[in-house]
Amino acid sequence: MLGFMDYVQNAFYEASHWNRDNSYGTLTATSRNILDFQTPDGIRLHVSSLASPNFATSYTLGSVGLVDGSLSYLYSSLPLTAYASKSSAIDLHRVVPGYRQLQDLRQPDEPRWWEIWHQGKRVDRREALLYGRLFLPRSTLEALYLRRLTPKAQLRVSCVSDSRLPNGGTILAHLQYDAAKHNTEYIYSTDSALLGVRGLYNFGPEPPLVEQPFEQSPDPTISTANEAVALATAPAPVRPNGRFSAGGEIYYGLLNKSGGISTGLRFTTLPAHTGFPYTMTLTLNPLMGNLSSTYSVLASPLLALSSRFDFNVYSYESELQVGTELWRRKSRPMPDDLDWARRKLGLPLLEQSLAKVDDADDMAGCLKARLDQRGSLGLLWEGRVKELLYSCGLTLDLKSAQNMVRGFGLEVQYSS
Amino acid sequence: MAFNFNWSPLTADASFYTRAQELLTAALNKSPKPPIIVDDILVNELNLGSVPPDLEILEIGDLAEDRFRGIFKMCYTGDAFLTLKTRVQANPLNTYLSTKPSFASPQPLAASSGLTIPIQITLSEIKLSAFIILVFSKQKGLTLVFRNDPLESLKVSSTFDAIPFVREYLQKEIEGQLRTLLMDEVPVIIHRLSQRLWLPDYREKEGQELARNLQDPTTEEKPVDPLASPPQDPVDVSGNILDASQIAALSLDSSSEMHALFSQKNLLRLGALTDSHRTLSLFTPGIRDVVFRAWAGPTERGEMLGSSGKATPATPAMTRSHSYTGSFSTTYVFSDAPDAGNHSTRPTLMSLGSATSGLSHASSKHGKPHGGRKRKHRVVNLRKKTADGDDLDSISGESSTASGTMSSAPSVFGGRPQTPARREDELITPPSTPDLLREQKEPGDGTLTRTRGLTTRLPQRDESADITPRASVHGAFMEASHVGPQPEEGKRPTLRPSQTLQYPLKERREQASPATLQGPARQLSPSPFAESPVEGILGQAWMTRMASEIARKVQDQEAAKSGFWDHNEGEDLPPPAYGA
């Protein structure tokens, strides 16, 4: 389950029109969500609040042997009102990452759309997000600075300060250019001066230009001339069924003179696809001879399956992992099937059957399970009870007769 | 003190290597491993090399038989090497990222995917320089602690020497790991290893350097053990005669057991014997290799005065007459009496001269019937004893007194302290040659001479008779031989390994030489042969026998000396009499 701060950051991405999925780093996000989920360890309690549309706080108290905790604050220059912040109202799909359905690409905003002029002067500022988190007993400080430099670029600087780290901490600068059709990222880490470049290219037609947001006439029945022309000349939008992407990354540590390289392919269906959505990826690390293929499928709105096969051509080591994600709808009194009878009898319909519908996608919880060939089984149940979001995880080792339970944890989250 | 550090036996022992490898493997896998190592570390090969480390003793804090504590300075630049096998993560990015917080990690997609490779690492050219604190305890084994970081330098060669990053990384990681290993794990390993070596098998311990250090003190204390000085013809419980080598082995192993072996049966007999004397019963239990000697002399009288009211005043005369005839005095000498220490009652017995007198008196009365028989056999046994020198004599005296004492004689103690002076006088008086000595040892003779001496002094003795049971020359003997200048009654009886025998020991050694043998001779009357022709004949026979005995003994001694000098020394000691 995503923490509240991650949830808020995602809200910031959406509010600033940043497409998180269009990056080489998230090429395998779907299978990772289903196969590599983290099970909580020990008992952990989060209390969070979006005190104002721009400011969020979160406190964590955990107990794994000894009590620890963290304080975190977040400031966003964009008001984050698009998403509910109350834990009773948060959409579970947003905090429980699962199968990621990619959306149609969309052209980045025109820079001029961001311009705000006031009395002959440009007064607009770059949107930014500041985030800090202090882990208390360990005195570790995490800081994040996120800035949308241009509609196509984003700078992300994350820092960790910890006396136990070499040099007392590390800073990672991450510059991303997203031009919809292709995406490039540049990475620099102060730790051993690691340089990295990532790129992703989406095959297929150029995404359609987003229409200029017209000045809507107050009266919707009267369309402006502009609009009429646009409507008339707009070609019927061709929505592709799927998208094929290829990317690669390369890293090089200047100080330790070591590096890494990998390439990847992905094919995923888009919403226009009429069958069940699926995603296939293939990544290759040519240096280390590592080959990894995944196949994930959203069999129904409530069920996603994923499998991954890793193979190393040098050491002949292989690994197979399968996982599933099963959603459960909130149990509600079924609208009785007697409505037709009431209608016929002229009786008034019951209140509840009228009220149903709207939050049909409200989920009660989600069960994730994964199993690998070494007999390690992970189970995670996430859901909502009353106002609380909870996440309950269990790790089992099926092959060891004694001491099968490797980890167990419970996380409870409340936000307002 | 000499320290002998033996390097090669340690390295030559094959089982040592296997054990050490097991322990090292366990130790290496116990501590958290660096992220690059993704599998268990196996110790493939271990060789301590042929170059021993240089050890410099800085301080010895504690040194005893069963413990040792010292500080050493150790420098090692030898050819030892160690080969490890494990599997490592070959992707540097993987290991690099695994140590970084995920928050600031670039989170590569697949560039950090792992590749595990089996690797063989050889650690060689190990240079150590450390201060070592070494603590040894017999019960707890060996504890070794490094006071500082011992690792000076080390060469790590591996399969990945071609890749500089990997090599540096391995070098760094392994050095760090080895440091913790040396500081934390090696002491544990050595401790366990020492326990394995020590506990099951005592001998191996001696092979170890430490035990070697400790050996000197142990050997010095060993002669104190009564069992280390076995009697001439020792007997075990079943009555089998043991030879010296067996005895040596036995006494080495566990003295307490031996005590039990020897004492129980004989004690019963002793008890029966003393009872028989008290009750005047005609039955005396046969005690193997034992001669019970009844002294006829003023001692007895004194004794009787002091302790046993039974004795009649007339007895002295009787004994005297007996002694003159020399033939019929019955003497019981307990030749095999190793377990003196067993009986706490001994102290009382010590005064024995007096006690014996009572006994001997009684025996003399009804001793005649036994007399002839005894002479044939037991007398001979007595001679064996005497061969050793006066010690044996003294023993016999002791033992006889012991038997006697069972019944009586507490009062005598008071008198004792005074006796030494007079005895010394006696010592001085008769000069004699070793030969004489031997001859004099003949039972009849011995008794005769002694009694004679006693009789001459009788008048004086009578005055002091109540105080000192002096009459028994044996007592004097014992005192002179066993105890130093100032004989302490209390110590004597115990005969325990501890203090008493330390001083006498030296004397014993001297006595082992012919010259020292004279000591006892002096005490005996100057002219043994003059007494009676019968005894002269007997004496000759006995002499021949003694000559052979002595020859045998010298051989034994020499043989024993080569291996076990303390045992040898022990032979000089008086075989402890039966404690009563």
Side-chain angles (χ1 to χ4, degrees):
Chain A
M1 180 173 290
L2 286 182
F4 184 73
M5 286 308 181
D6 294 321
Y7 173 73
V8 172
Q9 276 178 46
N10 289 342
F12 176 83
Y13 286 130
E14 298 215 3
S16 64
H17 302 295
W18 183 260
N19 185 2
R20 281 185 296 138
D21 295 321
N22 196 24
S23 154
Y24 182 73
T26 57
L27 195 75
T28 58
T30 293
S31 58
R32 275 204 310 233
N33 286 344
I34 300 176
L35 295 173
D36 297 339
F37 55 86
Q38 293 285 323
T39 55
D41 201 12
I43 293 176
R44 203 156 282 276
L45 180 68
H46 306 268
V47 178
S48 321
S49 162
L50 189 64
S52 80
N54 298 90
F55 191 74
T57 58
S58 178
Y59 308 99
T60 302
L61 196 65
S63 165
V64 192
L66 75 168
V67 177
D68 62 347
S70 70
L71 308 170
S72 47
Y73 299 94
L74 181 143
Y75 166 78
S76 160
S77 62
L78 269 177
L80 306 171
T81 50
Y83 295 153
S85 66
K86 290 188 184 301
S87 52
S88 57
I90 287 178
D91 182 3
L92 273 183
H93 278 289
R94 293 193 178 274
V95 290
V96 180
Y99 184 90
R100 255 199 106 62
Q101 176 64 65
L102 296 193
Q103 304 297 320
D104 288 326
L105 287 176
R106 99 183 236 297
Q107 284 287 358
D109 295 344
E110 291 292 328
R112 56 191 166 88
W113 296 352
W114 286 19
E115 293 172 3
I116 298 172
W117 293 83
H118 180 67
Q119 295 181 342
K121 277 196 240 169
R122 209 178 140 181
V123 295
D124 62 298
R125 304 182 60 188
R126 298 288 171 255
E127 306 299 345
L129 180 141
L130 289 167
Y131 163 72
R133 185 176 190 183
L134 178 66
F135 294 88
L136 265 183
R138 290 182 289 156
S139 297
T140 301
L141 183 68
E142 286 179 356
L144 172 71
Y145 175 66
L146 197 63
R147 186 177 176 88
R148 288 300 306 275
L149 300 173
T150 67
K152 285 185 180 179
Q154 174 180 272
L155 174 67
R156 180 190 166 103
V157 179
S158 44
C159 323
V160 175
S161 169
D162 189 336
S163 59
R164 279 161 298 187
L165 291 173
N167 305 320
T170 173
I171 300 174
L172 177 79
H174 195 168
L175 185 63
Q176 298 170 283
Y177 281 101
D178 182 7
K181 184 92 166 130
H182 56 88
N183 172 292
T184 50
E185 300 167 62
Y186 306 95
I187 294 166
Y188 175 76
S189 169
T190 57
D191 212 354
S192 73
L194 184 79
L195 287 173
V197 178
R198 292 200 266 201
L200 181 73
Y201 182 80
N202 295 309
F203 295 92
E206 193 80 11
L209 286 172
V210 179
E211 289 82 18
Q212 180 93 18
F214 301 107
E215 303 279 334
Q216 298 274 336
S217 61
D219 185 356
T221 57
I222 304 168
S223 57
T224 57
N226 244 350
E227 191 177 356
V229 170
L231 284 174
T233 57
V238 181
R239 300 188 65 193
N241 287 335
R243 184 189 305 155
F244 184 72
S245 314
E249 65 182 345
I250 182 166
Y251 296 92
Y252 186 72
L254 291 177
L255 294 184
N256 56 21
K257 296 183 176 51
S258 67
I261 191 170
S262 80
T263 57
L265 302 171
R266 175 181 67 186
F267 179 79
T268 182
T269 57
L270 292 175
H273 181 64
T274 51
F276 53 81
Y278 62 91
T279 303
M280 296 185 293
T281 65
L282 176 70
T283 58
L284 170 70
N285 184 333
L287 274 184
M288 297 297 150
N290 202 289
L291 204 62
S292 172
S293 61
T294 72
Y295 180 72
S296 310
V297 67
L298 189 63
S300 86
L302 297 181
L303 176 67
L305 301 166
S306 181
S307 66
R308 176 166 59 200
F309 179 67
D310 290 328
F311 180 68
N312 194 301
V313 296
Y314 295 152
S315 65
Y316 294 147
E317 284 179 332
S318 63
E319 188 175 5
L320 178 68
Q321 274 186 304
V322 294
T324 182
E325 182 192 32
L326 185 62
W327 288 86
R328 185 167 157 268
R329 284 190 198 278
K330 189 172 274 180
S331 67
R332 62 175 73 244
M334 286 295 290
D336 49 8
D337 292 342
L338 299 179
D339 286 354
W340 59 273
R342 293 176 193 277
R343 279 194 203 97
K344 286 211 166 181
L345 291 171
L347 293 174
L349 295 179
L350 291 178
E351 291 266 329
Q352 56 172 7
S353 52
L354 286 174
K356 58 171 186 182
V357 269
D358 55 355
D359 53 355
D361 59 346
D362 194 11
M363 297 293 175
C366 166
L367 174 71
K368 286 183 180 180
R370 65 152 178 255
L371 178 69
D372 68 16
Q373 59 175 20
R374 288 171 304 203
S376 162
L377 175 69
L379 293 170
L380 182 69
W381 172 254
E382 293 173 303
R384 172 159 43 211
V385 169
K386 309 255 183 218
E387 304 257 308
L388 297 177
L389 297 172
Y390 66 89
S391 164
C392 181
L394 177 69
T395 315
L396 296 173
D397 191 350
L398 299 179
K399 284 207 174 155
S400 72
Q402 75 279 13
N403 192 17
M404 267 183 52
V405 178
R406 288 300 166 90
F408 177 77
L410 176 67
E411 232 178 275
V412 176
Q413 195 169 328
Y414 173 80
S415 62
S416 65
Chain B
M1 185 184 312
F3 290 85
N4 189 4
F5 296 98
N6 215 338
W7 184 253
S8 55
L10 196 70
T11 56
D13 184 6
S15 65
F16 165 80
Y17 277 125
T18 56
R19 274 201 300 263
Q21 283 182 17
E22 285 169 18
L23 289 170
L24 260 179
T25 305
L28 282 169
N29 291 312
K30 204 174 73 178
S31 54
K33 291 186 279 287
I36 196 171
I37 294 171
V38 294
D39 198 4
D40 284 352
I41 304 173
L42 291 174
V43 177
N44 195 28
E45 204 176 346
L46 171 67
N47 195 329
L48 288 183
S50 56
V51 182
D54 294 332
L55 275 178
E56 184 182 328
I57 300 170
L58 296 180
E59 183 185 327
I60 293 180
D62 192 3
L63 184 60
E65 180 180 356
D66 56 349
R67 60 187 192 275
F68 173 82
R69 185 160 57 81
I71 301 177
F72 296 85
K73 180 172 189 254
M74 186 194 72
C75 292
Y76 181 71
T77 51
D79 51 355
F81 67 91
L82 174 70
T83 307
L84 305 173
K85 261 185 180 173
T86 186
R87 296 198 313 159
V88 294
Q89 179 56 257
N91 191 342
L93 204 59
N94 185 300
T95 57
Y96 159 75
L97 290 176
S98 64
T99 59
K100 304 296 169 241
S102 64
F103 186 77
S105 136
Q107 294 177 329
L109 185 72
S112 62
S113 59
L115 169 62
T116 57
I117 294 180
I119 189 175
Q120 185 160 319
I121 303 172
T122 303
L123 313 181
S124 57
E125 295 176 24
I126 302 168
K127 284 186 183 168
L128 302 176
S129 166
F131 290 94
I132 300 176
I133 301 173
L134 194 70
V135 180
F136 171 76
S137 153
K138 234 177 199 175
Q139 291 82 24
K140 293 173 183 172
L142 180 68
T143 312
L144 183 147
V145 180
F146 291 102
R147 208 168 178 179
N148 59 337
D149 185 3
L151 187 63
E152 243 180 19
S153 72
L154 165 79
K155 187 190 172 192
V156 178
S157 45
S158 72
T159 333
F160 293 113
D161 276 356
I163 309 169
F165 166 71
V166 176
R167 195 185 58 207
E168 284 167 24
Y169 186 85
L170 280 179
Q171 176 89 31
K172 200 176 67 185
E173 285 292 339
I174 285 171
E175 268 187 29
Q177 199 76 1
L178 206 63
R179 271 177 227 279
T180 60
L181 179 84
L182 283 172
M183 295 288 279
D184 303 337
E185 300 296 338
V186 162
V188 179
I189 293 174
I190 288 181
H191 184 67
R192 292 208 190 121
L193 213 58
S194 73
Q195 277 181 333
R196 283 199 201 183
L197 284 175
W198 263 237
L199 296 185
D201 178 338
Y202 182 82
R203 291 294 157 204
E204 279 194 42
K205 178 200 261 174
E206 290 185 345
Q208 295 291 328
E209 50 187 37
L210 261 187
R212 211 157 284 152
N213 295 344
L214 297 174
Q215 215 157 15
D216 287 14
T218 41
T219 45
E220 275 187 5
E221 290 196 6
K222 265 181 186 165
V224 176
D225 182 2
L227 285 178
S229 56
Q232 287 317 298
D233 33 13
V235 181
D236 66 4
V237 165
S238 56
N240 301 325
I241 295 178
L242 306 171
D243 42 354
S245 61
Q246 278 177 295
I247 286 290
L250 283 173
S251 57
L252 258 186
D253 283 340
S254 58
S255 53
S256 60
E257 270 188 26
M258 289 296 287
H259 279 285
L261 280 181
F262 277 84
S263 67
Q264 249 174 341
K265 197 170 184 181
N266 287 327
L267 263 191
L268 284 177
R269 287 182 176 169
L270 270 179
L273 185 68
T274 52
D275 285 347
S276 73
H277 289 309
R278 274 191 211 151
T279 58
L280 299 180
S281 87
L282 291 182
F283 170 76
T284 50
I287 300 180
R288 258 186 83 102
D289 294 333
V290 162
V291 173
F292 177 72
R293 185 177 290 165
W295 307 108
T299 22
E300 303 165 12
R301 189 173 37 99
E303 235 264 315
M304 303 168 88
L305 289 179
S307 58
S308 61
K310 292 176 188 174
T312 58
T315 44
M318 286 180 61
T319 53
R320 228 179 289 149
S321 61
H322 272 294
S323 62
Y324 278 112
T325 52
S327 55
F328 290 114
S329 69
T330 56
T331 52
Y332 279 79
V333 174
F334 301 89
S335 57
D336 50 352
D339 49 345
N342 240 358
H343 309 282
S344 53
T345 50
R346 257 295 224 71
T348 53
L349 302 183
M350 282 346 244
S351 31
L352 335 185
S354 56
T356 22
S357 67
L359 253 188
S360 60
H361 177 67
S363 63
S364 64
K365 280 179 186 172
H366 57 84
K368 287 187 180 178
H370 303 289
R373 182 169 55 97
K374 276 167 195 164
R375 268 211 151 179
K376 288 173 194 166
H377 175 63
R378 309 224 167 145
V379 166
V380 170
N381 281 338
L382 178 66
R383 296 324 176 209
K384 279 186 196 168
K385 305 244 142 168
T386 45
D388 228 3
D390 42 342
D391 313 337
L392 299 177
D393 249 10
S394 65
I395 292 161
S396 65
E398 250 188 24
S399 53
S400 64
T401 51
S403 62
T405 30
M406 297 228 160
S407 54
S408 64
S411 65
V412 186
F413 289 104
R416 270 285 154 122
Q418 305 176 348
T419 51
R422 289 182 190 175
R423 278 164 202 168
E424 281 170 359
D425 295 344
E426 288 180 2
L427 287 175
I428 302 163
T429 47
S432 62
T433 63
D435 289 350
L436 284 180
L437 196 177
R438 283 178 210 156
E439 289 164 347
Q440 285 164 355
K441 297 262 162 119
E442 199 190 337
D445 231 2
T447 48
L448 270 181
T449 53
R450 281 165 205 168
T451 45
R452 234 214 267 144
L454 293 173
T455 48
T456 53
R457 288 182 193 175
L458 252 179
Q460 308 158 356
R461 293 280 160 80
D462 288 346
E463 308 162 1
S464 59
D466 47 349
I467 323 167
T468 56
R470 268 287 240 66
S472 69
V473 181
H474 282 296
F477 256 54
M478 291 165 55
E479 295 256 31
S481 59
H482 280 244
V483 197
Q486 276 287 342
E488 267 264 351
E489 276 297 75
K491 285 183 181 177
R492 255 264 241 78
T494 58
L495 268 188
R496 272 172 207 155
S498 51
Q499 334 86 332
T500 46
L501 289 184
Q502 296 271 28
Y503 292 109
L505 228 175
K506 295 173 190 168
E507 296 180 0
R508 286 299 128 52
R509 263 186 236 167
E510 293 166 9
Q511 286 165 1
S513 66
T516 50
L517 287 180
Q518 289 180 353
R522 279 180 221 152
Q523 292 191 342
L524 301 176
S525 71
S527 61
F529 287 112
E531 306 310 317
S532 66
V534 181
E535 278 161 22
I537 297 168
L538 277 174
Q540 279 183 349
W542 182 80
M543 260 184 70
T544 55
R545 170 138 196 169
M546 277 310 294
S548 65
E549 277 292 3
I550 287 178
R552 184 177 67 86
K553 210 182 225 176
V554 168
Q555 280 181 352
D556 285 356
Q557 279 185 358
E558 277 176 359
K561 247 177 205 170
S562 60
F564 208 74
W565 66 271
D566 54 328
H567 164 65
N568 186 13
E569 197 179 52
E571 284 187 347
D572 292 340
L573 289 178
Y578 280 104

